[in-house]
Amino acid sequence: MTGSALLFYVFGALALASAVLVVTGKNAIASAVYLVVAFFNLAGLYVLLEAHFLAASQILVYAGAITVLILFVIMLLDVSQLVRLQGSRNAIARSLGIVLAGLFAILLASQLAPGEVGFPEKLPEGFGTVESIGDLLFDRYLLAFELVSVLLLAAIVAAVAIAHREGESTP
Amino acid sequence: MNDLHLFAIYPQITLGLGALLVLGEGLVFGKNRHGLFLITTLVAATFSLAFTILSWKTTANAFAGAVILDPTVSALLAIVSVCTLLGALCSPAYANRHGFEPANYYTLLLFSACGMAFLVSSNDLAMAFVSLETLSVCVYALTGYRTRQDASTEGAVKYFLLGAFATGFLLYGISFLYGATGSTNFSEIATRFAAGNMGPESKFAVIGVGLLLVGLSFKVGAVPFHMWVPDVYQGAPTPITAFMSVAVKASAFGFLVRLLPHTLMGLSDSWVPILSALALLTMIGGNLLALAQRNLKRLLAYSSVAHAGYLLLGVASASKLPDQADAAILYYLLVYSFMNVGAFAVLLTLNSPARERNNLSDLAGLSESHPLLAALLSLFMLALAGIPPTGGFTAKFYLFGAALRAGYTTLAVLGILSSVIGAFYYLRVVVALYMESPTRPVSNDPAASAMAPRGLALAFAVLLCAVLSVELGLQSLPGLGIFPSYLEGLTDFLVATR
Amino acid sequence: MHEASQIQAQWLLLLPLLPLIGFAVNGGAVLLGRSLPEKRAAAIACSLVLGSALLATAAFLRVLGADEPIHLVADGWHWIAAGRLDLPILLVVDRLSGLFIMVICWIGLLIHIYSAGYMHGDPGFGRFFAYLNLFMFSMLVLVLGGSLPILFVGWEGVGLCSYLLIGFWYEHLPNAQAGKKAFVVNRIGDFGFLLGMFVLFWAAWKAGAPSLEIQSLSQFIDEISVQSVTLLGVPVRLPTLAAFLLFIGACGKSAQIPLYVWLPDAMAGPTPVSALIHAATMVTAGVYLTARLHFVYAASPVVMTIVACVGAATALMAATIALVQNDIKKVLAYSTVSQLGFMFLGVGAGAPAAGVFHVYTHAFFKACLFLGSGSVMHALANNTDVRIMGGLRKKMPHTWLTFGIATIAIAGVPGFSGFFSKDEILWKVWSSHTLFVPPIVPGHEALTHLLPPLLWSVACVAAFCTAFYMGRVFLLTFHGKSRTPHDIEHHIHESPASMTGVLWTLAIGSILAGYVGVPHFLGGHNRIEGWLGAVLGAVHGEESATIVHEGSAEALLAGLSSLIGIGGLALAWFFYIAKPEIPGKIAGAFQSTYRVLSNKYYVDEFYEAVFVTPVRKFSEAALWKVADVQLIDGLVRGAGRASQAVGRAFARIENGFASSYAAAMLLGAVLVAGYLALR
Amino acid sequence: MSVGLHHYLLLSALLFVVGTVGVITRRNAIVVLMSIELMLNGVNLSLAAFSRYWGDGSGHALVIFSIAVAAAEAAVGLALLIAVFRNRQSVDLEDLNLLKG
Amino acid sequence: MPVLSIILFLPSVTAVAILLFGRGESGASIARALALLGSAAAFLLSLTLWAGFDAATAQMQFAEAFRWLPSWGISYRLGVDGMSLLYVILTTFLTPIVVLAGFSAVERRVPLYMASLLFLETGMLGAFLATDLVLFYIFWEAMLIPMYLLIGVWGGERRIYAAVKFFLYTMAGSVLMLLAIVALAYLHYESSGEISFNLAHLLRTSIAYENQRWLFGAFAFAFAIKVPLFPLHTWLPDAHVEAPTGGSVILAGVLLKLGTYGLVRFAFPLFPAAAVTFAPWLSLLAVIGVIYGALVALVQPDIKKLVAYSSVSHLGFCVLGICAFTPEALEGALYQGLNHGLSTGALFLLVGVLYERRHTREIAQFGGLAKVIPLYAAALVAVSLSSIALPGTNGFVGEFLILLGTFTGNVPKTTYMAAGAALGVILGAVYMLWTVQRVLFGPVTHAVNEKLPDLTKREQFYLAPVLVLIFIMGVVPGPFLKTFKASTKEFLDRFSKTAVLASLPEADASGRAQVSQILSKWKEDSRSEVASADSASK
């Protein structure tokens, strides 16, 4: 087992474990923290995949921005413990959901498992670097990239419109 | 870059710039210049429509193949522009009444329209993904725009959470499609699949198609991915319901048509059966579910699910005869826009600050107090039911015609029978309007609101929808197999004088 | 079959048209709410009928004057023309129809005149005459119709008039019910008539001459009679089928078993109506039809035999019922049924001429009897129960005398018209060669030989009963002590001259009418038989050689039948005048028989219980409430309800929880993935 | 044995499914949002793996877009949750069933 | 001059005018006057059609056509031939009468009522006149809306149930027909390379047996619902009972005829091989309907329901006549359609008169009316006589021809069918006369009825033409029957053995074999007729 393989299993196991903890965590803050852990491990996996820029973005945006935002809202609303875990009125759908998720996992895995496909040894020059990604974003994905700015602007407007109380003067 | 072909995205740019303009106006002139924002929006939508028409028969491939322009895209762009126009026209009275902050409202409306316009013209997975999210994010926000109303925010949260959930599937599908082909460009993907003899990737393609179908089924509201539809339609502010019931549907179907029959034709063995099953479930499920509804918005929501089913049948047919089925789908979407917005617009006309009249029982006896509105609402209902001589009939005729032609006889039979169930609940509305006596005294304010200046916009929307709902039934000359021929003539005229 | 020469006579169209004008005038006036004054209404009606009568006489004389049978023909527009069928309006007078129109018009005229007195003061006077005229029209169309559908027009027309006239006093519900019953029972017969007509047309078409014209049918009868089809696996000759079906029609119109039940009830109508329609003319239409289509019947001896048997059975059955009825009109009604049975017996025995002869004589004496009874009712405030009559002889001498003459005539006392015709029938039955039992019946040969004497004896018993009950009625009504309640009694008066005059005319007719058919053995030439025989196929024509030879037998039988008639009357005298206590004793001794007879064999009750009630119950309970509402419509409504229920059930899954929605989406995803993975 | 595409894909699938389980089972809307982020991350991993497989940067670009989208969605979603919270003092999804049927 | 289009749209234009001008205080009177004018004008115009009609040809006359949706092969195409001429006139004839009848019967929302009637007239006329299948379908379906309103707005207690049932029932049948129309056009396209919905073109298409059967099934299903053929009739009693008088008259008078008309115009000629296959079954249903309808009518306590079931019975005769493939029966069936329109229409008008006075339709509520309202009684008796097909009335001509033609027809077992249907002649008399007796005769059982006013002048005015026609058509049916001849001949020519086989493509060997097998069971002696038709056509 090569080093990278070992790292894959370590990062993978940690990511998966923290993901499970996110989902099962009793406390929203704990979940958020586990989420960060998962993100870091994923960043590690990105590195293994030669996606260095992605790894950086992952940490900056996901772990840095999004999770912080989520934590911030949790604190703001003080809803970390708010949700009772017992007495669900929709237990059937939940348990059914778990079964279905299991089925889905099995089906997905059954399609993916057989037949090992390896990675090519050789990678093009500059794969995963900022430059190469930048080239793509400003050439091939220029329009999409520009559209992302629209998206983000729209999201800001939306967030302001919704969260800003004065948005609606009289009911 | 020589192959930018910027003209191909003039409509999209117009819509986006319009949004920025409204935003800027809000900053400059203050946030309550409702009329200004409305006019800006209308102008943007109109220009977008005009640009679409000007480049009507043009085919282009712009931004390194990220977007394309062809007749189908033009038609979809026109539909999106028209829907935006109608949505904006429906808005002012309602927005005023509920004290919406107009600048952000119209900004979001235009941004979502921009997203839709990009979605229907995108020729690249990344492009499609981003534009889809752009429109979704805006529509989530618009759904929850009545922030003080429980229903609105609840609908928005459900929409958002489930939408994001679906986005996960969609993106996963995109990922597998990319994994199967190594490309995100539709043309390249299509070429790859058409070439056949793929290696281990072929399995990825199938997985990708399945996941994409899941994600898109959510967006178009196919059974069993439809469950958000009634809650969101009911919760959303009515103008937004009107807008998204047609615009989101049109753009999502535009994308579906672009993706499945055009791009993934090589995989039709995988998706056609699924799509057929979805179509069947959706047609029957939507109609059956609508039967139990008493709230008109909810009823129309389920009805829109049913219509999605018919359209899905069209998409399935497009696997066999793309041209004819595409035309039928586009025609259907166009007609559907008018008749559905029309129905919502009438509801909006009936709303008053005191009371929203969204229940069937609220409509009782309306034909005596508001004969014209009752007649128009009945017209839209009959159109939705597909009764000639309305556009609803013609649209169904083309669509089921295409399905039959493509060999989906059983589906067509079951679908059209389910439309008989559909007729029942549309007729329920007519029953309430004409055959029941009012349960509560009818207040007079709707008439008053119709007289107000901003009510004028709404009245215009209603009349426009009514005229076109009928016109498309009677005239409906598909030039390009898509649009009435005089529209074609108009385009020629404009192009000639340019 | 000789080819009768045809003579165009468009004026024949006037014959039915005149009464139709009368109907239009009187009916129109009534409808417009301005009924004509009685005198004028009656004058119009009577004069138009007189016109018809004169025309009829002219036509009859024309036919009579010709040595060979001739056809006077009038035709009008093409009534129905479609496909193979072309039905022009066509009226024909030949010897048969000539005789009939004479009877119809003249007796009709007499009854019109009689009615003018009888209906005096009735608020529906104008309406009554309108109906009567309409009847005259229909009856004339029936008789003159040169093709079966035209005949059918008259056939149904008289049915309609009968319906309208029976229910003339519709405020009294039983009258209306009786009218409806008459129409409906007739319709059952019409069902047969229609089908019979179709069969004939079918046969004619197969024979290459698709037509329903009687003349054309008779021309091609040889080709037609060989046509056959397989019905339910049995080969059937079409003429046999047609004859049978048409006989069902005749049974309806002429009140034969099993369709006679309407006629007694029909007495609910005004008495002139009973006389005209339900005695003299309409009810004989069945006989007329059978005679008219004698060539079809001649081609199907089995049906002939059935006709004869039914006729005999009806004659006997009705006569026995008449024995014990106390309603004077009911007795006359059953008597009519019985006499009609005789006519059919004659026709069925292969002697249509004899049957028609009886129709002709019967018209006189039965009309006379009815009108006489009408006269009595007129005097007794419309009472018809013989038990409250008696001793009217003195107070109503004209009525008494005419009624008596008619009674003697119907009883078959020699010298009176009834004797000649009835005796003729009895003789023809006795000597019949056409009665034939089909080979499928075991012992058919013996039966075939046995049938004539058997039918003859049945007829004799019936004739005896006839004489007896007629004597009974006559005696109970006019002789003995008056049993009339006092309040009515002092009203009793002889009827006005317009009525008695008619009675006398008919009474004289009842005596003299028979002399056109004096049999050979009495030195007569039986002219009517020969005369009619020429057009009615002269079934016995070739027997002229044997007439002399069999003359003695005929005379013997005639003597017997005279004895029967006189004996019956004498017995009645003995029972009701000499020993009036005997009938009660007999009734007491044979209580059950008496009850059965006075309840008319419970046939009405039987029909009610077996057909009417079950059909109604079945229709209501099974067809409507179960099959229609619950089963067929239930399926429809069930589909609707099921859709709604399913919709509601699914709507319940839509429970508002985002997790459910997500689960549903995941379910969809699993299904999609499952399909893709497992396909 | 070397770690290949399939390993990454399986891992990404597991992450995705864990996310879906979270979406369905959790009642706290914020946790649901986090679960969705997990799903998206699972997808991102597969994209990166495919990118590595093809030696092509498009996958990376897609991940970038995905991250941006996730950010935008989080912003709007959290804003909506705040609005809901203001109305009902709850972000329990089981309280959000005014609309149903 | 596009006279057909003028007749067709004149009522609609009037309806629009009514909606525009029929407002305010005098709206009702304006609406009434306009409606009467418009419908009467349409009637007079339609008479010119008859005047200019050439009975010698089976061609579409007064034909109009322009390409409407060329890329879909849909054209606006109108024409009349012998099969439709009299039905067009029946429609235009009944509408003014119904308008008149509605003068007093309808007090609420008069303009809407009149407009609905007139729109309905356009719908019905369009369905009779259209010779393009899509155009036909449009009118066929559009017609439902005004009828739906007529029942639902001005109907009785359960009007909504009845209206919705009527609409959905009919629609369920017709949507399948729509699919069949489209499929037919595609089959035509495949064989000829041009897309067309023109009836004349489609009639020339040869269609495989299998397809013929399916398509015929869809067409026949739609039409059978409209007829209504047993067991698809259950919408009719509800619709009739609940509809206002005018609605019932139009429904019985014209709408049902569209069912039989559709069979002879479309379903049978388009798919001859399927028609000969299914005709015996259709006749069986028709005969069941004749008897069943009559029996159920017998026990109805509600007079309108009774008439409704009687319609099931009468229309059974029509279908029977169509399925016999003889000229007599077919002409009889067409004629019977007209008769039923008049007599049942008149019956409903008369029931409406009573309803207006007493607001009940229960037979038990009446009795002895003949004395109180003699004129009415006379009219009711006359109409009943037509209904029970007394010779001298129109009803007889129709039933006689149908029964005669069916009895001697070619189709196996047709003789039994005719014999069974002839039972309906008896039953018809039973229920009709029983009803007449219960309503008119006997003593006056309810004191309220003592003072009923007799027919008013207006009522007399609109009833008189119907009554007069009933007798004219009974006595002089010639001019009416004459118009059918050429078209019926053309129709029947399509059902000669060779023609039926020619409707199947050469390649469809098994289909041809099956159809030959079926045709061989037809009565041998009918060949003479068929053979002569064949030789004549060659």
Side-chain angles (χ1 to χ4, degrees), chain A residues 25 88-89 94 112 115 163, chain D residues 5-6 25-27 41 86 94:
Chain A
S88 165
R89 284 186 287 158
R94 280 162 205 288
L112 293 173
Chain D
L5 178 60
H6 273 101
T25 55
R26 297 307 299 253
R27 291 162 57 183
N41 269 282
R86 281 192 184 142
E94 292 204 350

Side-chain angles (χ1 to χ4, degrees), chain B residues 190 253-268 271-272 275 311-323 325-326 329:
Chain B
F253 268 103
F255 178 49
L256 203 58
V257 168
R258 168 71 51 206
L259 184 69
L260 291 179
H262 288 256
T263 308
L264 301 179
M265 193 61 122
L267 288 177
S268 58
W271 57 263
V272 166
L275 210 59
L311 286 162
L312 283 173
L313 181 56
V315 180
S317 318
S319 65
K320 299 263 166 57
L321 30 130
D323 292 341
D326 280 7
I329 291 169

Side-chain angles (χ1 to χ4, degrees), chain E residues 14 16 28 39 44 64 151 160 173 192 194 197 202 243 254 322 336 378 411 423 458 464 503 506 515:
Chain E
T14 317
V16 172
S39 54
L44 292 178
E64 293 170 25
I151 298 174
I160 294 173
S192 73
E194 58 154 353
F197 289 91
L202 296 175
V254 186
I322 294 167
Q336 180 72 356
V411 185
L423 281 176
R458 182 176 52 84
S503 79
E506 292 291 337
V515 175

Side-chain angles (χ1 to χ4, degrees), chain C residues 22-64:
Chain C
F23 164 70
V25 172
N26 267 326
V30 171
L31 266 188
L32 294 176
R34 293 189 215 102
S35 296
L36 298 176
E38 283 192 7
K39 281 214 169 121
R40 203 179 307 160
I44 290 172
C46 294
S47 55
L48 286 167
V49 174
L50 177 65
S52 288
L54 293 174
L55 287 173
T57 313
F60 181 69
L61 291 176
R62 189 77 189 277
V63 175
L64 195 64

